[in-house]
Amino acid sequence: MEEGTLKSPSHCKGTKDDAVRQWDVREDCEVRQILDRVADKWSLLVVALLDQGSWRFTELRREIDGISQRMLTVTLRNLERDGLVRRTVHPVVPPRVDYELTPLGATLHDTIQALVRWTESHQEEIAAARAAYDARATGDTP
Amino acid sequence: MEEGTLKSPSHCKGTKDDAVRQWDVREDCEVRQILDRVADKWSLLVVALLDQGSWRFTELRREIDGISQRMLTVTLRNLERDGLVRRTVHPVVPPRVDYELTPLGATLHDTIQALVRWTESHQEEIAAARAAYDARATGDTP
DNA sequence: CCGTATCCTCCTGGATACTG
DNA sequence: CAGTATCCAGGAGGATACGG
């Protein structure tokens, strides 16, 4: 509603000398807004799943362990609003609603898959790092 | 249920019960845990910045618009614990602490940059989709 | 079956003040 | 400067019940 007042150039003045940053990190910038949406815990999972064809609401709910009905609805609405997911209501009874990625959403999927794959392939290193950190913390700071 | 009624993607098997997923989405699985950490709003920003060399605490704080001292501390601690960020304390007065990516953290950076670049290059499409959705919602549901 | 609405809890995360 | 500690408001998010 109240946007339009501030428009930020993609290159910004940096406090660290001149232009060290390659992108805008201001709180009100577009990228930050979208990043917050896309980097959302549930959004990530939903998009990752939706690549595998069309899903019904209840299927998604069953599949995503731990998500509540409310959060799935909210997440899907947000993704739909951002043009990443298409919602199709079939006028049958009982009602049937299908969700699938839009072409725009499909382009995001590659990036998310990269994130998931990174996580999978580095989970042991991270687990080891955590264990080492915890051991250091408990044994070192009496 | 019945395998025939569900449209299945070419590379997927018929039932969605558990064979369709290519990765584990259980709440207690490693990938979910790490994903939640990595997909965190502040972590993403910190990692993206840290690629550009070594940063001091206050520099990061100034740079990341809107982050509080507490959240920066917490975020850096988590990243350090996961082995993504190295924290170096210089025994001088006034104290000086530098943060930089570990080799492991550097491998994550590519993925995060991909996410940031995706966001940048699609922000107009998303803004348009949002505007369309909002217009539809306000004009359609009295 | 697919939601919306309501309530209520809990945890995130900001503000502030204090140490080394 | 670089934290830690404490307090507290607000929103995320779960549980439940009901409507289409």
Side-chain angles (χ1 to χ4, degrees):
Chain A
M1 292 188 213
E2 64 284 339
E3 58 265 356
T5 57
L6 283 173
K7 264 323 183 182
S8 46
S10 28
H11 66 287
C12 278
K13 66 281 150 197
T15 28
K16 199 189 185 187
D17 264 355
D18 232 342
V20 182
R21 275 186 282 111
Q22 299 143 353
W23 55 291
D24 194 352
V25 277
R26 291 182 320 157
E27 195 163 20
D28 59 340
C29 79
E30 283 277 339
V31 173
R32 280 277 296 271
Q33 305 294 334
I34 299 174
L35 220 47
D36 285 355
R37 164 68 33 80
V38 153
D40 173 68
K41 169 187 182 176
W42 299 122
S43 300
L44 224 67
L45 294 172
V46 168
V47 171
L49 283 177
L50 281 185
D51 175 61
Q52 301 156 36
S54 162
W55 293 68
R56 303 185 58 175
F57 185 86
T58 314
E59 285 179 337
L60 287 171
R61 192 149 110 88
R62 258 199 310 267
E63 199 66 14
I64 303 177
D65 189 36
I67 197 172
S68 68
Q69 193 174 30
R70 201 179 91 92
M71 286 320 294
L72 181 54
T73 302
V74 169
T75 302
L76 286 169
R77 282 291 175 284
N78 284 334
L79 291 173
E80 190 194 357
R81 188 172 103 98
D82 285 358
L84 302 174
V85 159
R86 188 160 51 134
R87 177 173 179 265
T88 311
V89 183
H90 301 276
V92 298
V93 24
R96 176 193 181 103
V97 182
D98 287 331
Y99 295 92
E100 58 192 328
L101 291 184
T102 62
L104 178 59
T107 67
L108 174 61
H109 179 268
D110 290 342
T111 308
I112 288 188
Q113 270 304 317
L115 201 58
V116 171
R117 268 185 271 110
W118 182 93
T119 306
E120 286 173 335
S121 53
H122 292 283
Q123 55 180 304
E124 267 134 47
E125 291 174 76
I126 291 179
R130 284 183 184 174
Y133 183 94
D134 292 345
R136 217 178 310 136
T138 48
D140 217 6
T141 26
Chain B
M1 319 298 197
E2 341 87 298
E3 286 78 29
T5 54
L6 290 172
K7 43 197 290 203
S8 26
S10 45
H11 62 288
C12 286
K13 304 165 187 153
T15 168
K16 299 211 170 172
D17 276 357
D18 48 21
V20 176
R21 274 186 284 108
Q22 297 146 352
W23 56 291
D24 194 353
V25 279
R26 289 179 316 159
E27 194 162 20
D28 59 340
C29 79
E30 282 276 342
V31 173
R32 281 277 296 270
Q33 305 292 336
I34 300 175
L35 220 47
D36 285 355
R37 165 71 31 81
V38 152
D40 174 67
K41 169 186 179 174
W42 298 122
S43 301
L44 225 68
L45 294 172
V46 168
V47 172
L49 283 177
L50 281 184
D51 174 62
Q52 301 155 36
S54 162
W55 292 68
R56 304 184 58 176
F57 186 85
T58 315
E59 283 178 338
L60 287 171
R61 190 149 108 89
R62 259 199 309 268
E63 201 65 15
I64 302 177
D65 190 37
I67 198 172
S68 68
Q69 192 174 32
R70 200 179 93 94
M71 286 319 295
L72 181 55
T73 303
V74 169
T75 302
L76 286 169
R77 282 291 176 285
N78 285 335
L79 291 172
E80 189 194 359
R81 188 172 104 99
D82 286 357
L84 302 174
V85 159
R86 187 160 51 133
R87 176 172 179 268
T88 311
V89 183
H90 301 276
V92 297
V93 30
R96 177 191 180 101
V97 182
D98 286 330
Y99 294 93
E100 59 194 328
L101 290 185
T102 63
L104 179 58
T107 67
L108 174 60
H109 180 268
D110 289 343
T111 309
I112 288 189
Q113 271 304 314
L115 202 56
V116 172
R117 268 186 270 109
W118 182 92
T119 306
E120 285 175 334
S121 53
H122 292 284
Q123 54 180 304
E124 267 134 47
E125 291 174 76
I126 292 179
R130 283 183 184 175
Y133 183 93
D134 292 345
R136 217 178 310 135
T138 46
D140 218 5
T141 27

